[in-house]
C-alpha cells in the first residue's frame, strides 16, 4: 500500500511544501541550522548559530496529500488530496495509530487548534467505546461473547444494529455479503498455520449449512445458531465511522468540515480548507505507489457522504507457497479468484463498506445493477487487469475538473442513442447470436463498452475484435458484464459521452463498433463512424447477415 507522507503522521515537526504541483505532497524538515564556518588560524569566537523559526500557525502551509490505506483493499487505496491554501482557519490534521488495528486520520476545517484537539479526543473515545462492543479480535467484546455461545438478553444497541444491517445486506446482495463467515475464516487461519489447504468439499458443506441457518438479530435475546460465528469486519468499521462523525458534528456544530478516515474507509462532511467539498483520489489498484499515488484513476469531491474501497492485493491467506484473497465467497467458503476491486461512494460509511465487499464477490453486471438501484450510491469496479466499469451515477461524484464536460445544447448535456437490430434468420439450428457494441476513437483505441450479449465465457472469444480489446486480458471481468443473448428484434442502448471510468471524452471523430457471431452461423463486424459534438448529426448503417440496421442519434435534453 502507498505509505503516508510525514505530514500525515501528526508530528510536531514544521512542514514544508515540496515544489508546487497539481497534487502537492508534504515532506518534514527540522528547523534548519546553517553549518558553522571553519575558524581561521587566528582565534576568534565561534560564529553564532542562527536557527530559523517556524512561521506562525496562520501562516504555515496547509496542503498535502494523505494516503488512506484500506486493509483488505490491497492496492486499492484512497488518497485525500488537500489543496495548498495557506490562510487562517486552515485544516487541523491528526494521525494516530494503532486505531482498530490500523491508522486514523482526522482533519477538521474552520476551527482553532484547541478545539480540534478536543475533537480528536472525542473521536478516539467513541471509537474505543464501539470497539469494546464490535471487535472480533478482543476476547472481552460483546461480539466475542456472542460468538463464544453466550446468549445475550440485553445486547448493546450497537451490536444489534450491526447484526441487523449485516443480515439486511446479506439479503440485498443475494448472499454475496455475509457476516456469518467467522468460522470459515477461522478454518483458513488454521490452514495458514498448518500449511495445508482445507478440504474443499467439507468447506462447501459448512458454507451451505451456515447460509441455511435461521438467525433473527431482532429477537429479544441474541443467540447464534450452531456452527455460526459472526465476523462483522466488512461493515463494523463503516458503522463506527458513522457514529463517530455523528458525535463530532453534534458536539462541535461550529466547524466547517470534518474528514475522518480509519484504515482506508472515509466519512466526510462539509468543506476542506479550500472552501470546496473534500477531495479524494482513487488510487490505481493495478499500479500502486508506496509513496501515495496522488494522480490515481479517479478524483472525487465529497461534501456529505462516505467512500470505501475493497480489493485483494495486499491482504490474504498464505498456505504454503500459495496466496489466497482474504475475501471469502459465502457460497462455498473458498477465497474469491479473478475478482475485481471496488470503490463505493454512499450517503453513509456502513453502506459504502458493505457494498465495497459485496461488489468484489458479485458478477460485475449484477453489482452495477444493485448500485444503480440504491439512492445516492455510486461505484467504480476495476477488473483484475485494470478495465474499469463505472455505475450510472459515478460521474456525478467526480471532481468537475477531472470528470470533464460532455457536449451540450442550450446548456443541456447530450447523449448518443443507439438503436440496433438482431435480424431473424431462417435456419434449422438457429441460435441467438453473441453480440458486442463498443465506442472507439478513430485510431481504434477503445473508449466505452456499451453491450455484451453472450454469457458463456468459452464463446466470447468468437468476437475477436472485442475480445482483443476487452476480454483477452481479463476473461473473468468480461464474463462478469456479459448478459444473456437476445432473440431477433429491435433494441436500444445509450452512451453518455464518457469513457469506461466515467470521464467525459473530447469532442471529435469516433466509431461505433459492432461484432456478432452465431453458433452454426456466421460472424460479422460493422464500423459506423460518427462525429461527437453538440452539432452532431444522425448516422446509420446496415449489416449483411448477423447484424441488422444500426441508427445513431444524438439526443439532448431539450430535443
Amino acid at each position: 500500500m502507498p505509505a503516508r507522507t510525514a505530514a500525515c503522521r501528526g508530528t510536531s515537526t514544521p512542514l514544508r511544501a515540496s515544489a508546487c504541483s497539481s497534487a502537492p505532497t508534504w515532506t518534514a524538515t527540522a528547523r534548519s541550522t546553517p553549518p558553522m564556518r571553519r575558524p581561521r588560524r587566528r582565534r576568534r569566537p565561534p560564529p553564532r548559530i542562527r536557527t530559523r523559526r517556524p512561521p506562525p500557525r496562520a501562516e504555515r502551509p496547509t496542503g498535502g496529500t494523505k494516503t488512506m490505506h484500506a486493509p483488505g483493499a490491497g492496492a486499492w487505496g484512497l488518497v485525500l488530496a488537500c489543496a495548498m491554501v495557506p490562510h487562517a482557519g486552515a485544516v487541523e490534521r491528526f494521525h494516530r495509530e494503532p486505531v482498530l488495528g490500523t491508522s486514523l486520520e482526522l482533519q477538521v476545517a474552520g476551527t482553532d487548534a484547541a478545539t480540534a484537539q478536543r475533537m480528536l479526543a472525542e473521536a478516539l473515545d467513541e471509537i474505543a467505546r464501539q470497539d469494546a462492543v464490535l471487535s472480533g479480535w478482543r476476547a472481552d467484546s460483546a461480539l466475542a461473547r456472542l460468538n463464544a455461545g453466550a446468549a445475550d438478553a440485553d445486547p448493546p444497541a450497537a451490536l444489534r444494529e450491526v447484526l441487523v444491517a449485516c443480515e439486511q445486506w446479506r439479503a440485498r446482495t443475494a448472499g454475496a455479503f455475509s457476516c456469518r463467515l467467522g468460522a470459515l475464516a477461522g478454518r483458513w487461519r488454521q490452514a495458514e498455520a498448518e500449511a495445508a489447504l482445507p478440504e474443499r468439499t467439507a468447506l462447501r458443506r459448512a458454507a451451505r449449512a451456515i447460509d441455511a441457518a435461521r438467525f433473527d438479530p431482532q429477537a429479544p435475546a441474541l443467540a447464534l445458531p450452531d456452527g455460526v460465528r459472526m465476523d462483522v469486519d466488512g461493515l463494523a468499521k463503516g458503522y463506527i465511522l458513522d457514529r463517530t462523525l455523528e458525535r463530532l458534528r453534534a458536539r462541535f456544530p461550529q466547524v466547517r468540515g470534518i474528514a475522518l478516515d480509519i484504515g482506508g474507509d472515509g466519512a466526510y462532511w462539509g468543506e476542506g480548507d479550500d472552501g470546496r467539498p473534500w477531495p479524494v483520489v482513487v488510487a490505481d489498484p493495478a499500479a500502486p505507489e508506496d509513496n501515495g499515488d496522488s494522480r490515481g484513476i479517479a478524483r472525487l469531491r465529497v461534501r456529505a457522504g462516505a467512500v470505501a474501497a475493497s480489493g485483494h492485493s495486499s491482504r490474504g491467506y498464505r498456505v504454503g507457497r500459495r496466496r489466497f484473497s482474504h475475501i471469502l465467497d459465502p457460497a462455498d467458503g473458498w477465497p474469491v479468484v479473478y475478482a475485481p476491486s471496488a470503490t463505493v461512494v454512499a450517503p453513509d460509511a456502513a453502506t459504502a463498506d458493505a457494498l465495497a465487499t459485496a461488489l468484489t464477490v458479485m458478477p460485475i453486471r449484477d453489482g452495477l445493477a444493485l448500485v444503480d438501484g440504491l439512492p445516492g450510491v455510486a461505484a467504480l469496479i476495476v477488473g483484475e487487469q485494470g478495465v474499469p466499469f463505472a455505475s450510472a451515477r459515478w460521474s456525478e461524484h467526480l471532481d468537475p475538473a477531472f470528470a470533464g464536460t460532455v457536449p451540450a445544447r442550450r446548456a443541456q448535456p447530450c447523449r448518443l442513442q443507439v438503436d440496433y437490430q438482431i435480424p431473424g434468420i431462417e435456419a434449422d439450428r438457429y441460435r441467438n447470436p453473441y453480440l458486442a457494441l463498443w465506442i472507439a476513437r478513430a485510431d481504434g483505441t477503445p473508449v466505452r463498452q456499451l453491450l455484451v450479449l453472450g454469457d458463456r465465457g468459452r464463446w466470447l472469444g468468437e468476437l475477436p475484435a472485442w475480445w482483443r480489446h476487452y476480454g483477452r486480458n481479463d476473461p473473468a471481468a468480461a464474463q462478469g458484464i456479459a448478459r444473456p443473448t437476445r432473440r431477433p428484434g429491435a433494441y436500444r442502448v445509450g452512451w453518455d459521452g464518457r469513457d469506461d471510468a466515467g470521464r467525459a471524452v473530447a469532442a471529435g471523430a469516433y466509431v461505433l463498433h459492432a461484432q456478432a457471431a452465431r453458433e452454426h452461423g456466421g460472424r460479422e463486424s460493422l464500423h459506423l463512424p460518427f462525429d461527437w459534438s453538440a452539432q452532431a448529426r444522425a448516422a446509420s448503417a446496415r449489416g449483411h447477415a448477423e447484424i441488422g440496421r444500426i441508427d445513431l442519434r444524438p439526443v439532448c435534453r431539450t430535443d
Side-chain angles (χ1 to χ4, degrees):
M1 287 294 297
R4 288 177 174 81
T5 60
C8 297
R9 296 187 181 274
T11 65
S12 59
T13 309
L15 299 177
R16 303 289 179 197
S18 61
C20 292
S21 67
S22 60
T25 57
W26 292 105
T27 56
T29 58
R31 297 181 177 181
S32 60
T33 303
M36 297 179 59
R37 292 177 293 178
R38 179 179 296 175
R40 298 179 181 178
R41 291 184 180 180
R42 189 171 63 183
R43 289 185 174 275
R44 294 181 180 178
R48 193 174 182 179
I49 299 177
R50 298 178 179 178
T51 302
R52 185 169 58 196
R53 295 183 179 181
R57 177 175 296 275
E59 299 176 1
R60 295 184 190 178
T62 62
T65 298
K66 183 192 77 171
T67 301
M68 303 164 63
H69 300 258
W76 194 225
L78 305 176
V79 178
L80 182 62
C82 300
M84 190 186 304
V85 184
H87 60 77
V91 169
E92 297 290 335
R93 297 179 173 86
F94 303 95
H95 173 96
R96 294 292 184 272
E97 59 179 286
V99 176
L100 300 183
T102 179
S103 59
L104 172 143
E105 305 283 351
L106 173 64
Q107 302 196 53
V108 183
T111 192
D112 58 86
T115 301
Q117 286 282 356
R118 292 198 300 273
M119 293 179 70
L120 174 64
E122 291 271 359
L124 293 174
D125 178 72
E126 180 66 20
I127 292 167
R129 189 174 73 87
Q130 299 290 350
D131 186 50
V133 175
L134 301 173
S135 175
W137 304 94
R138 292 174 47 167
D140 62 344
S141 71
L143 177 65
R145 292 193 296 272
L146 182 67
N147 279 334
D152 195 340
D154 186 23
L159 179 60
R160 189 182 292 278
E161 289 173 6
V162 166
L163 293 179
V164 168
C166 283
E167 290 299 289
Q168 289 174 340
W169 281 111
R170 176 172 166 269
R172 285 181 179 177
T173 61
F177 176 87
S178 177
C179 295
R180 299 183 174 196
L181 306 182
L184 299 179
R187 293 197 184 188
W188 279 98
R189 289 192 291 271
Q190 180 181 355
E192 278 191 306
E194 298 174 353
L197 287 175
E199 204 281 311
R200 193 156 190 170
T201 302
L203 205 65
R204 185 182 298 112
R205 283 198 300 266
R208 291 176 177 174
I210 289 170
D211 182 65
R214 292 182 176 274
F215 171 60
D216 182 6
Q218 295 180 320
L222 276 180
L224 296 178
D226 291 341
V228 175
R229 298 294 178 267
M230 288 293 177
D231 180 350
V232 300
D233 288 355
L235 189 144
K237 187 167 60 175
Y239 177 88
I240 293 173
L241 278 167
D242 290 333
R243 300 290 78 77
T244 304
L245 182 61
E246 184 180 89
R247 176 170 168 177
L248 293 180
R249 289 189 60 191
R251 300 197 180 185
F252 301 91
Q254 73 275 23
V255 302
R256 190 176 69 244
I258 303 170
L260 177 64
D261 159 68
I262 303 176
D265 291 347
Y268 309 93
W269 173 80
E271 302 170 343
D273 55 357
D274 60 354
R276 302 172 62 197
W278 293 99
V280 180
V281 176
V282 179
D284 185 350
E289 295 182 2
D290 288 342
N291 64 341
D293 181 3
S294 61
R295 296 168 300 170
I297 60 172
R299 289 180 176 271
L300 309 172
R301 286 280 177 174
V302 185
R303 185 184 302 275
V307 182
S310 187
H312 314 269
S313 297
S314 67
R315 287 181 62 197
Y317 302 105
R318 186 170 292 279
V319 182
R321 296 184 178 181
R322 299 180 63 182
R323 186 183 179 282
F324 299 85
S325 171
H326 70 288
I327 298 178
L328 303 181
D329 187 341
D332 61 6
W334 203 259
V336 295
V337 294
Y338 305 117
S341 300
T343 298
V344 176
V345 183
D348 61 273
T351 294
D353 205 3
L355 276 174
T357 300
L359 293 179
T360 64
V361 179
M362 302 176 71
I364 293 175
R365 66 175 182 273
D366 295 343
L368 292 176
L370 173 64
V371 168
D372 289 340
L374 297 172
V377 178
L380 180 69
I381 303 174
V382 179
E384 187 188 33
Q385 298 301 319
V387 177
F389 305 88
S391 70
R393 290 185 294 271
W394 176 254
S395 61
E396 298 175 9
H397 298 274
L398 294 175
D399 186 321
F402 179 87
T405 304
V406 300
R409 189 177 302 162
R410 299 185 185 93
Q412 298 297 321
C414 298
R415 295 173 56 86
L416 185 69
Q417 180 178 297
V418 181
D419 293 298
Y420 68 96
Q421 293 178 349
I422 298 177
I425 298 176
E426 294 293 335
D428 292 336
R429 294 189 296 172
Y430 178 83
R431 297 289 187 273
N432 295 336
Y434 277 41
L435 175 70
L437 299 174
W438 71 100
I439 304 289
R441 294 187 174 87
D443 63 1
T445 304
V447 170
R448 178 73 173 271
Q449 295 190 80
L450 300 182
L451 179 73
V452 180
L453 299 180
D455 54 0
R456 293 187 180 180
R458 62 176 180 168
W459 298 113
L460 287 173
E462 294 299 314
L463 305 172
W466 170 83
W467 183 260
R468 183 169 60 252
H469 291 306
Y470 284 106
R472 180 172 56 188
N473 294 327
D474 201 346
Q479 188 169 356
I481 66 162
R483 301 173 182 273
T485 59
R486 291 177 176 172
R487 298 173 61 84
Y491 302 94
R492 175 179 294 173
V493 294
W495 179 48
D496 59 3
R498 299 184 179 276
D499 62 16
D500 287 316
R503 300 185 70 179
V505 302
Y510 292 87
V511 180
L512 173 76
H513 290 262
Q515 190 165 52
R518 184 170 53 85
E519 186 180 1
H520 309 305
R523 179 191 301 154
E524 185 176 12
S525 296
L526 185 150
H527 305 157
L528 179 53
F530 66 96
D531 174 64
W532 179 238
S533 68
Q535 292 75 38
R537 297 182 177 181
S540 63
R542 181 183 292 276
H544 298 290
E546 306 297 339
I547 300 175
R549 181 183 174 89
I550 296 180
D551 294 291
L552 307 183
R553 178 173 174 260
V555 178
C556 302
R557 291 181 182 175
T558 57
D559 293 352

mmCIF file of all heavy atoms in Angstrom, residues 508-523:
data_model
loop_
_atom_site.group_PDB
_atom_site.id
_atom_site.type_symbol
_atom_site.label_atom_id
_atom_site.label_comp_id
_atom_site.label_asym_id
_atom_site.label_seq_id
_atom_site.Cartn_x
_atom_site.Cartn_y
_atom_site.Cartn_z
ATOM 1 N N GLY A 508 -15.095 15.114 -31.128
ATOM 2 C CA GLY A 508 -14.279 14.696 -32.255
ATOM 3 C C GLY A 508 -14.857 13.492 -32.958
ATOM 4 O O GLY A 508 -16.040 13.172 -32.834
ATOM 5 N N ALA A 509 -13.993 12.791 -33.692
ATOM 6 C CA ALA A 509 -14.413 11.654 -34.506
ATOM 7 C C ALA A 509 -14.296 10.357 -33.710
ATOM 8 O O ALA A 509 -13.252 10.076 -33.107
ATOM 9 C CB ALA A 509 -13.561 11.574 -35.766
ATOM 10 N N TYR A 510 -15.363 9.579 -33.732
ATOM 11 C CA TYR A 510 -15.398 8.296 -33.035
ATOM 12 C C TYR A 510 -16.042 7.255 -33.948
ATOM 13 O O TYR A 510 -16.588 7.583 -35.010
ATOM 14 C CB TYR A 510 -16.169 8.408 -31.717
ATOM 15 C CG TYR A 510 -15.461 9.262 -30.703
ATOM 16 C CD1 TYR A 510 -15.658 10.642 -30.679
ATOM 17 C CD2 TYR A 510 -14.568 8.710 -29.793
ATOM 18 C CE1 TYR A 510 -14.988 11.447 -29.767
ATOM 19 C CE2 TYR A 510 -13.898 9.498 -28.885
ATOM 20 C CZ TYR A 510 -14.110 10.861 -28.870
ATOM 21 O OH TYR A 510 -13.436 11.651 -27.975
ATOM 22 N N VAL A 511 -15.971 5.999 -33.509
ATOM 23 C CA VAL A 511 -16.519 4.896 -34.293
ATOM 24 C C VAL A 511 -17.305 3.979 -33.373
ATOM 25 O O VAL A 511 -16.819 3.596 -32.304
ATOM 26 C CB VAL A 511 -15.408 4.092 -35.003
ATOM 27 C CG1 VAL A 511 -16.020 2.950 -35.812
ATOM 28 C CG2 VAL A 511 -14.569 4.993 -35.897
ATOM 29 N N LEU A 512 -18.530 3.651 -33.774
ATOM 30 C CA LEU A 512 -19.271 2.595 -33.089
ATOM 31 C C LEU A 512 -18.886 1.268 -33.733
ATOM 32 O O LEU A 512 -19.030 1.095 -34.945
ATOM 33 C CB LEU A 512 -20.773 2.808 -33.209
ATOM 34 C CG LEU A 512 -21.593 1.639 -32.651
ATOM 35 C CD1 LEU A 512 -21.609 1.668 -31.129
ATOM 36 C CD2 LEU A 512 -23.004 1.637 -33.208
ATOM 37 N N HIS A 513 -18.404 0.343 -32.911
ATOM 38 C CA HIS A 513 -18.044 -0.992 -33.398
ATOM 39 C C HIS A 513 -19.120 -1.981 -32.974
ATOM 40 O O HIS A 513 -19.550 -1.997 -31.816
ATOM 41 C CB HIS A 513 -16.696 -1.432 -32.827
ATOM 42 C CG HIS A 513 -15.530 -0.680 -33.380
ATOM 43 N ND1 HIS A 513 -14.748 -1.169 -34.387
ATOM 44 C CD2 HIS A 513 -15.044 0.543 -33.072
ATOM 45 C CE1 HIS A 513 -13.790 -0.291 -34.666
ATOM 46 N NE2 HIS A 513 -13.958 0.761 -33.877
ATOM 47 N N ALA A 514 -19.550 -2.822 -33.901
ATOM 48 C CA ALA A 514 -20.483 -3.906 -33.615
ATOM 49 C C ALA A 514 -19.907 -5.195 -34.174
ATOM 50 O O ALA A 514 -19.392 -5.223 -35.301
ATOM 51 C CB ALA A 514 -21.851 -3.632 -34.239
ATOM 52 N N GLN A 515 -19.959 -6.237 -33.387
ATOM 53 C CA GLN A 515 -19.464 -7.539 -33.852
ATOM 54 C C GLN A 515 -20.414 -8.617 -33.353
ATOM 55 O O GLN A 515 -20.823 -8.618 -32.190
ATOM 56 C CB GLN A 515 -18.048 -7.806 -33.353
ATOM 57 C CG GLN A 515 -17.405 -9.012 -34.007
ATOM 58 C CD GLN A 515 -15.905 -9.042 -33.791
ATOM 59 O OE1 GLN A 515 -15.429 -8.949 -32.674
ATOM 60 N NE2 GLN A 515 -15.144 -9.170 -34.889
ATOM 61 N N ALA A 516 -20.784 -9.516 -34.248
ATOM 62 C CA ALA A 516 -21.732 -10.582 -33.897
ATOM 63 C C ALA A 516 -21.199 -11.917 -34.405
ATOM 64 O O ALA A 516 -20.512 -11.995 -35.435
ATOM 65 C CB ALA A 516 -23.102 -10.301 -34.501
ATOM 66 N N ALA A 517 -21.511 -12.975 -33.652
ATOM 67 C CA ALA A 517 -21.136 -14.333 -34.058
ATOM 68 C C ALA A 517 -22.231 -15.272 -33.588
ATOM 69 O O ALA A 517 -22.793 -15.093 -32.499
ATOM 70 C CB ALA A 517 -19.790 -14.721 -33.458
ATOM 71 N N ARG A 518 -22.532 -16.275 -34.405
ATOM 72 C CA ARG A 518 -23.641 -17.175 -34.095
ATOM 73 C C ARG A 518 -23.207 -18.618 -34.272
ATOM 74 O O ARG A 518 -22.559 -18.978 -35.261
ATOM 75 C CB ARG A 518 -24.837 -16.854 -34.993
ATOM 76 C CG ARG A 518 -26.087 -17.668 -34.709
ATOM 77 C CD ARG A 518 -27.279 -17.101 -35.481
ATOM 78 N NE ARG A 518 -26.997 -16.973 -36.895
ATOM 79 C CZ ARG A 518 -27.149 -17.961 -37.780
ATOM 80 N NH1 ARG A 518 -27.549 -19.160 -37.375
ATOM 81 N NH2 ARG A 518 -26.886 -17.760 -39.055
ATOM 82 N N GLU A 519 -23.569 -19.443 -33.285
ATOM 83 C CA GLU A 519 -23.290 -20.869 -33.390
ATOM 84 C C GLU A 519 -24.043 -21.433 -34.585
ATOM 85 O O GLU A 519 -25.218 -21.119 -34.800
ATOM 86 C CB GLU A 519 -23.720 -21.569 -32.097
ATOM 87 C CG GLU A 519 -23.349 -23.043 -32.042
ATOM 88 C CD GLU A 519 -23.796 -23.699 -30.757
ATOM 89 O OE1 GLU A 519 -24.413 -23.012 -29.921
ATOM 90 O OE2 GLU A 519 -23.548 -24.904 -30.598
ATOM 91 N N HIS A 520 -23.358 -22.270 -35.360
ATOM 92 C CA HIS A 520 -23.900 -22.840 -36.597
ATOM 93 C C HIS A 520 -24.213 -21.748 -37.621
ATOM 94 O O HIS A 520 -24.980 -21.972 -38.562
ATOM 95 C CB HIS A 520 -25.172 -23.664 -36.355
ATOM 96 C CG HIS A 520 -25.030 -24.677 -35.280
ATOM 97 N ND1 HIS A 520 -24.040 -25.641 -35.287
ATOM 98 C CD2 HIS A 520 -25.752 -24.883 -34.136
ATOM 99 C CE1 HIS A 520 -24.160 -26.406 -34.219
ATOM 100 N NE2 HIS A 520 -25.191 -25.955 -33.510
ATOM 101 N N GLY A 521 -23.648 -20.568 -37.426
ATOM 102 C CA GLY A 521 -23.894 -19.471 -38.355
ATOM 103 C C GLY A 521 -22.603 -18.773 -38.719
ATOM 104 O O GLY A 521 -21.518 -19.358 -38.724
ATOM 105 N N GLY A 522 -22.699 -17.484 -38.985
ATOM 106 C CA GLY A 522 -21.531 -16.740 -39.412
ATOM 107 C C GLY A 522 -21.089 -15.728 -38.379
ATOM 108 O O GLY A 522 -21.572 -15.694 -37.244
ATOM 109 N N ARG A 523 -20.147 -14.892 -38.791
ATOM 110 C CA ARG A 523 -19.599 -13.835 -37.955
ATOM 111 C C ARG A 523 -19.558 -12.566 -38.787
ATOM 112 O O ARG A 523 -19.229 -12.603 -39.975
ATOM 113 C CB ARG A 523 -18.204 -14.206 -37.465
ATOM 114 C CG ARG A 523 -17.551 -13.140 -36.592
ATOM 115 C CD ARG A 523 -16.084 -13.455 -36.360
ATOM 116 N NE ARG A 523 -15.917 -14.758 -35.721
ATOM 117 C CZ ARG A 523 -14.827 -15.503 -35.837
ATOM 118 N NH1 ARG A 523 -13.831 -15.111 -36.627
ATOM 119 N NH2 ARG A 523 -14.742 -16.662 -35.212
#
